[in-house]
Amino acid sequence: MVASTNDIVKVKRPDLVLPGETFESVTNIVSKPMEMKLPSWWLIVFLVSISGVLLLKSMIAYLIWEGIGVWGLNNPVGWGYAIVNFVFWVGIGHAGTLISAILFLFRQKWRTGINRFAEAMTIFAVICALIFPGIHIGRQWVAYWLFPIPNSMGMWPNFKSPLLWDVFAVGTYFTVSLLFWFVGLIPDLATMRDRAKGKIRQMVYGIFSLGWRGSNRHWQNYEKAYLFLAALATPLVLSVHSIVSFDFAVSQLPGWHTTIFPPYFVAGAIFSGFAMVVTLMVLARQLFNLKALVTIGHLERMNKIILLTGMLVGYAYGMEFFMAWYSGYQYETFAFVNRATGPYAWAYWIMVSCNVISPQLFWFKKCRTSIPIMFVVSIFVNIGMWFERFVITVTSLHRDFLPSSWGYYSPTWVDVCTFIGSFGLFFTLFLLFLRFLPVISIAEIKNVMPQADPHHGEEH
Amino acid sequence: MNEILLAEFENPNKLLKAAEKLSDCGYSSYDVYSPFPIHGMDDAMKLKHSKLGWIVLCGCSLGLLLGFLMQTFMSLDYPLIISGKPFFSYPAFIPVTFEIMVLFSAFSTVFGMFALNKLPQHYNPIFKSDYFRKATCHGFFLGIDSNENGYDREKLRNLLSEIDAKHIEVIEDDV
C-alpha cells in the first residue's frame, strides 16, 4: 500500500484497560486479592508449596551431611541436575527483566499490565537458581571462597574463570532486579498504606512506602530513576545469560564450544520466561479476577513473543547442526549426531517437539487467544526448555573423546526431589506475593489509561 | 507555626492548569500530588531537570574503576597460573568489571533518587489530612506551604477557588 504523507493511518490498538474502569476502580481491582478473605485454594496450594520447601531443605541437609555422592553424577558426567536447574531457573527470570526493562525502553505500554508480576517471578526464580551453584560445590561450608573476601589464607578468586563471572553476573542481576522491583512498588505500597483498615497493615505498608505522597517533585526524580534502572537492566539481562552460556562455551568440549551460545541462551531464556509468565498469569487473572487489567490482548502479545523466541531457538538448534557438519571436525559432528540419535535421543526429541513444534500453533490467532491452548503450550515450553539444558549439559559430557570413558547419567531420587523442592520454594514465594503485594502496578496502569492524559477530553 | 494550604482538583487536566496558573503568578515552592506522574507537569511547575543523571554517572565511573582495579590487584596479589595466561589478563576482567559497574550504577540510581527526594520521610504534615489519602488512588492535589514567598492564605484561597479547586483545607503543622 502506498500512502501519501498526508494520510495519517490510524491503527486502532486494543484497549490496555477495559473501557469503563476509573482510577478508583483500578485500585480496587488490584487491592482486592490483598483485602479479601483468604481463599481456601490459596491455603491449600500454600501448604503444598511449603511442603516442597521442607523437601528442598531436607534434601540439601542430606546432601551436605552425606556428600555429593547422593547425586547421580559420575565420571564423565560431572555436571548434572544442579547446573541444569540453575540455568533453567535463571532463564525463567529473564522474561521479567525483558518485560520490565526492555519493553519499557521500547515504550511498549502493554507491559504495564504484567510487569510487576513478571518482575516478582524474576526475583523468585533467581532465588531458586542461586541455591544450586551454592550447594553443588561439594564443600558448602567454604562457599565464601566464591567471593573476593580477604581471608587468612591470602587467597583470591580466579577472575579468569567464567564460573566466577557467573557469581558476579547472577549476584548483580538479583540485586538490580530487587532494587527495580522495590522502586516500582513504592507508589503502590503508599496506595495500600492509605487504604489500609488495620493498624498493623498501615504500619507495615507505611514503613516500606518510605513516606511516599505522590509529589510531582518526587515523581520527577522517580521517573528518571526508573528510566535509568531500565537502561541498566537491559544490558545486564543480556550479559547475565551470555555469561551463563560462557560456563559452557569457554570450555573446549564438542557441543559446548560454540560462539552461538550467548545469543542462543538469551533467546531461550526469554522464551522460557515468557512461557512461565503465561502459565502463572492465566491462573492468577482467573483466580483473582484481574481480567479487566490483564486482557486477552496482553496474553496474545506474550504468545507472539513466545512464537518469535521459539523460532530463534529452533534456528539455533538447526545452526548448531550445520556448524557441526560445516566445521569438518569429527568430534563436533559426532556430538550432534549422538544428540539426535544416541542414548539421549529421547531427551533431544522431547526438547525439539516442545520448543520448536508446539509454539507453531501461535501462528493462528485462534490459538494465540485461546486460554486452554496457550496454557498447555506454555507448560510444554517450560518442559522443553528444561530438557534443552539437560540435553546441552548431559549429552555433551556422556560421550568423552575416548570410548573407554563413555558413560550414562541418570538422576537419583535426591536429584529429583531437590528439583521438585525448588518448585515448592518458587510457589511459596509467589503465593505470598499474590497475597501481600499488588500484583499489578497500580500507578503505572493508571498512567496508560486515557483519562490520565492531561489533555483528555479537550477539543482539538 | 507552619501551615499548608491544600486544594483538590477534579482531574489531571485541571491540576495541570492550576500549576500553570500558580507558576504564572510567581509562586515557586508549591507542590502537586497525584497517583501517577502527569505528563507536562514539570514544565507547568517550571522545575529544573533532575540531577539524578550526574549521581548515576559518578556511581557508574566508580564501579568501573573499582571493579577493574580490584581484579587487577587480586590477580597480581595471588597469582594463579591458568593455561599459561598472563596474570594481568585484562580481557578476562571485562565481564566482572561490567557487572560491578552496573551494580554501582543501580545503587547510585536508587539511593540517589532517595536522597534527592529526601526519602524515607515518614512524617509529613500533609498526611494529617484524611482527605489527602485519596492522593495515592484517585485524588489530584495542590499544596502550598506557608514558607512560600508572598504566602497569603485568603488571597490564595480565592485564587484556588477561581481555578476550580474542589475542596480547600488548611493543615497546621505544630512541630
Side-chain angles (χ1 to χ4, degrees):
Chain A
M1 190 185 84
V2 182
S4 79
T5 45
N6 295 334
D7 284 345
I8 298 169
V9 184
K10 280 216 164 169
V11 182
K12 174 86 180 82
R13 293 205 177 247
D15 292 307
L16 295 172
V17 175
L18 289 188
E21 301 296 343
T22 63
F23 295 139
E24 199 175 1
S25 72
V26 166
T27 314
N28 290 337
I29 294 173
V30 182
S31 312
K32 190 133 187 274
M34 291 174 278
E35 291 166 351
M36 66 200 223
K37 209 176 134 274
L38 196 62
S40 49
W41 65 261
W42 189 94
L43 210 60
I44 295 166
V45 183
F46 188 74
L47 285 176
V48 174
S49 311
I50 205 103
S51 344
V53 178
L54 282 178
L55 182 68
L56 177 68
K57 278 189 173 173
S58 17
M59 287 305 112
I60 293 174
Y62 181 53
L63 172 83
I64 295 176
W65 180 259
E66 199 66 29
I68 289 291
V70 299
W71 285 352
L73 300 175
N74 58 33
N75 201 350
V77 186
W79 248 9
Y81 260 44
I83 189 84
V84 174
N85 297 341
F86 165 72
V87 182
F88 172 75
W89 280 118
V90 171
I92 282 181
H94 279 45
T97 320
L98 182 97
I99 291 167
S100 61
I102 301 182
L103 296 185
F104 178 77
L105 295 183
F106 283 123
R107 302 271 186 272
Q108 294 295 307
K109 288 183 172 172
W110 61 273
R111 74 182 259 294
T112 49
I114 49 169
N115 71 326
R116 169 72 44 74
F117 196 83
E119 285 167 34
M121 190 193 72
T122 296
I123 290 165
F124 307 146
V126 176
I127 290 175
C128 292
L130 281 170
I131 290 175
F132 289 98
I135 59 172
H136 96 300
I137 51 175
R139 285 180 285 161
Q140 292 84 358
W141 46 95
V142 291
Y144 69 92
W145 287 3
L146 290 165
F147 307 102
I149 301 170
N151 53 62
S152 55
M153 296 163 288
M155 290 193 320
W156 296 116
N158 170 19
F159 285 101
K160 283 169 236 162
S161 163
L163 297 174
L164 190 72
W165 303 347
D166 227 7
V167 174
F168 282 86
V170 182
T172 303
Y173 183 51
F174 178 70
T175 316
V176 174
S177 302
L178 195 64
L179 287 172
F180 201 6
W181 192 53
F182 178 62
V183 167
L185 269 168
I186 294 171
D188 289 1
L189 291 172
T191 306
M192 296 318 297
R193 170 200 66 200
D194 288 346
R195 59 182 285 136
K197 297 254 158 40
K199 194 84 197 152
I200 298 174
R201 222 182 153 80
Q202 192 180 24
M203 287 262 288
V204 174
Y205 285 124
I207 289 169
F208 286 102
S209 59
L210 310 175
W212 182 263
R213 52 187 186 276
S215 145
N216 189 60
R217 290 171 197 275
H218 287 183
W219 278 123
Q220 191 200 21
N221 293 319
Y222 176 91
E223 283 197 284
K224 205 80 189 186
Y226 203 88
L227 178 68
F228 280 130
L229 285 174
L232 289 167
T234 299
L236 177 65
V237 69
L238 300 179
S239 83
V240 171
H241 229 63
S242 299
I243 291 178
V244 168
S245 82
F246 290 163
D247 291 348
F248 300 94
V250 172
S251 74
Q252 313 238 322
L253 202 71
W256 287 2
H257 189 59
T258 58
T259 45
I260 201 176
F261 260 31
Y264 159 35
F265 267 53
V266 171
I270 292 164
F271 181 52
S272 67
F274 265 85
M276 192 58 119
V277 179
V278 169
T279 312
L280 298 174
M281 203 67 200
V282 161
L283 295 173
R285 76 193 271 280
Q286 186 75 35
L287 292 168
F288 283 135
N289 209 4
L290 302 169
K291 286 177 197 152
L293 303 182
V294 183
T295 62
I296 207 84
H298 287 95
L299 296 169
E300 192 192 348
R301 286 179 173 100
M302 286 195 273
N303 291 336
K304 283 182 184 166
I305 294 186
I306 291 181
L307 177 61
L308 170 77
T309 46
M311 300 287 283
L312 284 173
V313 167
Y315 169 80
Y317 297 160
M319 191 44 81
E320 278 186 323
F321 268 84
F322 172 75
M323 289 313 293
W325 165 75
Y326 189 66
S327 66
Y329 178 53
Q330 57 166 326
Y331 294 105
E332 189 78 15
T333 315
F334 173 78
F336 281 92
V337 172
N338 181 49
R339 247 181 216 187
T341 59
Y344 284 107
W346 58 274
Y348 184 81
W349 293 107
I350 290 177
M351 170 188 98
V352 171
S353 355
C354 289
N355 290 351
V356 187
I357 299 170
S358 77
Q360 303 304 325
L361 282 174
F362 288 154
W363 285 108
F364 308 102
K365 195 175 171 83
K366 264 222 168 70
C367 299
R368 282 203 302 271
T369 50
S370 147
I371 299 279
I373 292 182
M374 72 174 85
F375 187 71
V376 172
V377 170
S378 71
I379 301 266
F380 272 128
V381 172
N382 285 322
I383 297 171
M385 283 309 293
W386 187 86
F387 271 97
E388 181 194 295
R389 280 66 177 249
F390 181 82
V391 165
I392 291 173
T393 309
V394 176
T395 63
S396 306
L397 285 170
H398 84 120
R399 290 279 185 264
D400 211 332
F401 290 93
L402 289 174
S404 58
S405 21
W406 285 6
Y408 192 84
Y409 166 84
S410 314
T412 62
W413 63 274
V414 182
D415 281 307
V416 177
C417 290
T418 314
F419 181 50
I420 294 171
S422 69
F423 273 96
L425 176 63
F426 181 76
F427 283 111
T428 303
L429 294 168
F430 214 86
L431 285 163
L432 290 172
F433 160 71
L434 287 178
R435 177 66 186 168
F436 294 106
L437 290 172
V439 289
I440 290 175
S441 175
I442 307 173
E444 282 183 56
I445 205 142
K446 283 177 187 162
N447 214 352
V448 299
M449 291 167 72
Q451 303 94 298
D453 179 2
H455 305 293
H456 175 67
E458 274 181 9
E459 297 287 329
H460 286 282
Chain B
M1 188 160 56
N2 269 353
E3 63 178 37
I4 295 175
L5 193 63
L6 186 70
E8 194 197 349
F9 291 84
E10 206 180 308
N11 55 36
N13 182 359
K14 288 194 172 149
L15 187 64
L16 188 78
K17 290 207 169 122
E20 277 167 356
K21 179 85 183 166
L22 280 175
S23 292
D24 289 344
C25 294
Y27 296 100
S28 62
S29 56
Y30 64 93
D31 207 346
V32 303
Y33 305 90
S34 54
F36 51 83
I38 295 170
H39 189 72
M41 190 56 92
D42 296 351
D43 290 335
M45 288 174 71
K46 302 213 167 90
L47 294 184
K48 290 200 197 90
H49 283 292
S50 169
K51 289 191 201 69
L52 189 63
W54 297 106
I55 299 177
V56 179
L57 182 67
C58 294
C60 172
S61 324
L62 188 71
L64 185 84
L65 204 69
L66 282 182
F68 192 79
L69 290 180
M70 176 189 80
Q71 293 175 78
T72 308
F73 163 72
M74 290 177 182
S75 303
L76 297 176
D77 188 52
Y78 186 71
L80 287 163
I81 299 169
I82 310 282
S83 324
K85 300 268 170 23
F87 298 131
F88 176 63
S89 309
Y90 60 91
F93 299 165
I94 300 302
V96 174
T97 308
F98 174 79
E99 300 301 335
I100 294 177
M101 180 190 82
V102 170
L103 187 68
F104 272 59
S105 311
F107 272 115
S108 50
T109 305
V110 175
F111 291 102
M113 186 267 281
F114 287 174
L116 292 175
N117 287 347
K118 301 193 177 67
L119 294 173
Q121 188 182 51
H122 292 98
Y123 173 79
N124 192 290
I126 210 160
F127 288 131
K128 288 183 179 170
S129 162
D130 278 338
Y131 220 69
F132 186 71
R133 286 184 160 215
K134 281 203 295 188
T136 53
C137 177
H138 59 287
F140 300 90
F141 290 88
L142 191 148
I144 310 169
D145 195 283
S146 57
N147 288 328
E148 170 85 68
N149 280 337
Y151 179 85
D152 177 340
R153 191 197 293 173
E154 288 317 306
K155 210 175 108 192
L156 276 166
R157 209 186 257 276
N158 291 336
L159 178 71
L160 289 169
S161 358
E162 251 172 60
I163 50 178
D164 252 5
K166 266 207 310 202
H167 167 96
I168 303 177
E169 68 176 299
V170 177
I171 304 165
E172 290 185 343
D173 184 11
D174 35 24
V175 177

